[in-house]
Amino acid sequence: MATITPPGWSRTSICANRYAGQQGCQMGGRFACKACLLVAYCGPVCQKAHWSPLLKSTWQPGWALERRTPAFVGGLLFGASGDLRNVVRTIAMLPEDFRGKVSVTLNDRDFGIVARNIIMLLVIFLSQELDEAVESVIHLWYSAFIKDLHMDLLDNRVRPLVETVCGKIGSKSPRSLLGKTWVFGSRSLRVVLRKEEWLLLPSHLQLPHNWSKSRAQEVRTACTMAEERRDYRERRMLSQLPSHPLCADKFRRDGILLLFGFSIEDFSTPNPTIFGKTEDWPMNDSADPFDGWDLREVLQIHCGPASNDIYGKLHWFLTHLLSRFYHRVSNLEIQFELLNFDAEILPDHLNSLTPSRFPMFPMADILDLQKHCGSLDVLLDGPHDNPHATLVTLFMNAVDEMADGKEEEISLKAEMMQLMKYLSPKGLGFSQGDPWMVNMLAARPLVRDVETFFDRYMEIHRFKEAEKLFGLKMKEPHTIIEPWPTRLKLRHGERGWEDEFKIRHSSAHFGCERYVEWKRIDSIPQLPQELA
């Protein structure tokens, strides 16, 4: 990606010391902090006042200093997302000379995800200016608190559209499916929801419980900074690049996706698309904006002298990507359709609601290959209609599922020997709580023999039978996404291997994410009677 200099960035940014008086230091930030390269200060006094122990190379997690067994020993946590990122990237990357018609159907069984996607697409369509649209979507998407102008956009433009629909469906039965299409010139957004979900949608546009910022922040940090989760947070810090733990700690505390040294004073309104009707923060304490993006791409962004400001880089990466998305959406004939169904019953509804065939059909977290392929293959274009039509499936946990028992013990020894080349031993500890050992175990997936494990997964789940049963065939080579996009590409000793390992280890990806692309090999698959 080309180097990007953030619009509005100034070489005389304000000093980053927020602890100097009620307003913080108001002097110009003329000198970048050479220790962290996150912010700029007016001078050494403010720099020392703003210093954090997380920046020290000698930093150790609390469980090591306190000589206790860390709380996470014996468990792991995994997450998934169904947001707009893949759609945004796909449309943003369309060639500039592309002038064809685009139809996009999005489905998720989690209504909260669908509601946020509806709201953000409406913001894109209703915003008259690029900067307004991009900034609003970034903070509605990732920030726990938003500006008054973002809230005004929701109140004055988005909410009236939703409430008009809700006002017209009072006589409909509670479970009835109701569709509404909004047209914006050559663009349209169609939403199909049950009545009860339509009536719930306005609640995602208003503040819960009339909370103040302080109350909402208290609820959020009770989760994101919970003392009982401290060991889990510090385990994550062990693998992160220098200065990134401080950035992550700041985001956990204030929840605003912004450059490190920028003021968050204007972000005073709890984000109504995130804060729900319950009294709790609705996300995992470990949820992070980086979970859905490639850290390597983000690190290429230039955002001034604060070159280690990783969340600032992500902010400008998203600014660039969403700007391209807004531009492409504004100049294409494009139709979006958003649905809220379980994937297993999706074909029953798509047959009557949408076009019967799709050129591309991405699926994630497939737990039962035959069940889902058997229901979704009929939605994929046949080879005579579109030889490029592709079903994309993502297997996130397949390798882990296969890595157990005696072979896991053998694999562990080989992996640890390999990791010794990347992470030199520190100290004398080889216990489960030793920070070096914890970091080694976290890095294991990066050197795992993923091909062997996935071959076994395909055999157990009868991938070859799926080809015969459903008229689908695995594509070789892939044409949309590489099979293992997050695994290490360089061997130890090759040029750039150290940087690649550090970045991958610091990211939220483990190298075990496996994509499989499928194509139809006949027009109408012949299903056996027992599977029909």
Side-chain angles (χ1 to χ4, degrees):
M1 177 176 290
T3 298
I4 301 168
T5 300
W9 178 78
S10 169
R11 293 186 181 275
T12 57
S13 300
I14 194 169
C15 177
N17 183 12
R18 302 298 174 205
Y19 306 139
Q22 187 175 1
Q23 299 294 325
C25 179
Q26 298 299 302
M27 300 287 287
R30 297 178 296 166
F31 308 101
C33 174
K34 294 182 180 179
C36 67
L37 292 178
L38 287 172
V39 291
Y41 295 101
C42 64
V45 174
C46 276
Q47 180 185 17
K48 292 178 181 178
H50 204 232
W51 193 258
S52 170
L54 290 175
L55 293 173
K56 295 181 179 179
S57 61
T58 56
W59 176 84
Q60 289 280 291
W63 77 77
L65 297 175
E66 298 158 18
R67 300 181 181 276
R68 56 178 174 80
T69 301
F72 55 76
V73 169
L76 292 171
L77 180 65
F78 299 92
S81 177
D83 59 22
L84 289 173
R85 64 181 182 272
N86 290 324
V87 172
V88 168
R89 177 184 286 276
T90 299
I91 294 176
M93 295 298 110
L94 288 174
E96 286 293 334
D97 59 355
F98 177 81
R99 293 295 180 267
K101 182 178 179 179
V102 179
S103 296
V104 180
T105 299
L106 298 170
N107 176 74
D108 200 286
R109 67 179 181 179
D110 186 326
F111 176 68
I113 291 173
V114 176
R116 278 168 52 79
N117 290 344
I118 293 170
I119 292 168
M120 285 187 278
L121 285 174
L122 283 174
V123 167
I124 290 286
F125 289 146
L126 292 168
S127 296
Q128 301 299 315
E129 297 180 0
L130 170 66
D131 291 346
E132 176 188 65
V134 170
E135 182 185 332
S136 298
V137 169
I138 287 176
H139 293 298
L140 288 171
W141 199 345
Y142 288 118
S143 293
F145 301 91
I146 58 178
K147 296 180 179 179
D148 289 344
L149 62 89
H150 304 145
M151 195 66 213
D152 289 342
L153 193 158
L154 297 184
D155 282 337
N156 299 325
R157 302 188 212 173
V158 178
R159 184 200 296 272
L161 295 182
V162 174
E163 290 184 340
T164 297
V165 176
C166 294
K168 294 179 178 179
I169 62 175
S171 61
K172 304 292 184 180
S173 60
R175 299 288 294 174
S176 58
L177 279 176
L178 305 167
K180 169 62 181 178
T181 301
W182 291 291
V183 178
F184 311 90
S186 63
R187 307 163 297 168
S188 68
L189 172 60
R190 175 172 169 78
V191 177
V192 179
L193 301 172
R194 296 179 179 86
K195 176 186 174 180
E196 56 190 318
E197 290 152 353
W198 273 113
L199 297 179
L200 187 60
L201 187 54
S203 68
H204 292 263
L205 293 162
Q206 60 192 30
L207 297 177
H209 320 293
N210 294 318
W211 280 351
S212 63
K213 178 179 179 178
S214 59
R215 171 56 180 153
Q217 188 70 290
E218 179 183 340
V219 168
R220 181 180 178 275
T221 54
C223 172
T224 61
M225 299 302 298
E227 181 59 30
E228 63 269 22
R229 297 287 296 177
R230 176 187 170 196
D231 290 353
Y232 293 83
R233 295 193 295 273
E234 294 185 344
R235 176 180 63 175
R236 182 73 183 91
M237 291 176 180
L238 285 172
S239 64
Q240 289 178 319
L241 297 170
S243 299
H244 295 180
L246 183 58
C247 298
D249 183 73
K250 182 178 185 296
F251 183 80
R252 280 179 173 270
R253 294 178 186 279
D254 64 37
I256 311 298
L257 183 57
L258 204 62
L259 275 70
F260 193 94
F262 278 29
S263 171
I264 62 172
E265 185 177 354
D266 292 338
F267 292 83
S268 57
T269 301
N271 186 341
T273 74
I274 297 180
F275 283 95
K277 289 296 184 183
T278 67
E279 293 286 338
D280 301 316
W281 175 245
M283 298 184 182
N284 291 333
D285 69 299
S286 58
D288 187 274
F290 271 100
D291 292 347
W293 303 102
D294 189 333
L295 181 59
R296 296 174 304 171
E297 288 187 86
V298 176
L299 290 178
Q300 295 176 29
I301 301 298
H302 173 72
C303 59
S307 57
N308 281 346
D309 183 2
I310 185 170
Y311 286 82
K313 287 177 180 285
L314 179 59
H315 181 279
W316 295 120
F317 171 83
L318 292 171
T319 297
H320 175 67
L321 189 65
L322 285 167
S323 296
R324 287 182 59 92
F325 176 75
Y326 182 89
H327 170 71
R328 301 305 287 131
V329 166
S330 300
N331 292 279
L332 288 174
E333 184 178 352
I334 186 165
Q335 301 172 348
F336 285 94
E337 181 168 43
L338 272 67
L339 309 172
N340 180 209
F341 299 112
D342 189 285
E344 189 174 351
I345 64 171
L346 182 59
D348 297 335
H349 297 287
L350 285 175
N351 287 337
S352 60
L353 297 173
T354 66
S356 58
R357 294 286 189 269
F358 292 86
M360 185 173 73
F361 204 99
M363 286 291 295
D365 287 328
I366 302 297
L367 300 179
D368 186 331
L369 177 71
Q370 294 197 10
K371 178 179 70 176
H372 285 85
C373 283
S375 61
L376 294 173
D377 68 311
V378 297
L379 301 175
L380 190 66
D381 278 337
H384 300 297
D385 301 313
N386 184 351
H388 305 292
T390 303
L391 169 68
V392 183
T393 53
L394 168 60
F395 298 85
M396 296 179 63
N397 303 319
V399 171
D400 287 331
E401 289 178 21
M402 297 297 101
D404 57 11
K406 185 177 181 180
E407 293 187 13
E408 163 71 355
E409 183 177 343
I410 297 173
S411 175
L412 172 62
K413 293 179 180 178
E415 290 161 6
M416 296 303 275
M417 290 297 294
Q418 181 73 0
L419 282 171
M420 293 281 284
K421 302 176 183 178
Y422 293 91
L423 296 169
S424 301
K426 294 181 179 180
L428 301 176
F430 281 85
S431 66
Q432 286 184 307
D434 177 75
W436 173 76
M437 179 60 71
V438 169
N439 203 22
M440 288 275 284
L441 291 172
R444 282 183 60 200
L446 291 173
V447 297
R448 181 165 287 166
D449 183 7
V450 291
E451 294 282 7
T452 297
F453 285 119
F454 194 73
D455 286 345
R456 187 182 308 151
Y457 182 89
M458 290 193 291
E459 180 180 354
I460 290 174
H461 290 272
R462 301 184 295 176
F463 274 45
K464 292 297 182 182
E465 286 187 38
E467 290 186 352
K468 297 177 182 178
L469 290 174
F470 307 117
L472 293 172
K473 184 177 180 62
M474 288 183 283
K475 289 177 62 174
E476 291 294 344
H478 281 203
T479 58
I480 296 175
I481 186 169
E482 59 181 296
W484 302 97
T486 65
R487 76 185 284 191
L488 296 175
K489 304 297 190 298
L490 301 176
R491 294 182 178 274
H492 181 273
E494 291 184 345
R495 184 177 181 181
W497 69 269
E498 287 184 289
D499 287 341
E500 183 192 40
F501 178 82
K502 289 177 182 178
I503 291 172
R504 281 299 184 207
H505 189 30
S506 183
S507 76
H509 302 111
F510 303 100
C512 297
E513 296 86 354
R514 176 60 153 92
Y515 285 87
V516 178
E517 294 182 2
W518 307 79
K519 63 181 180 180
R520 285 273 297 275
I521 55 177
D522 55 16
S523 297
I524 303 177
Q526 301 297 316
L527 297 183
Q529 184 64 40
E530 66 270 20
L531 294 179

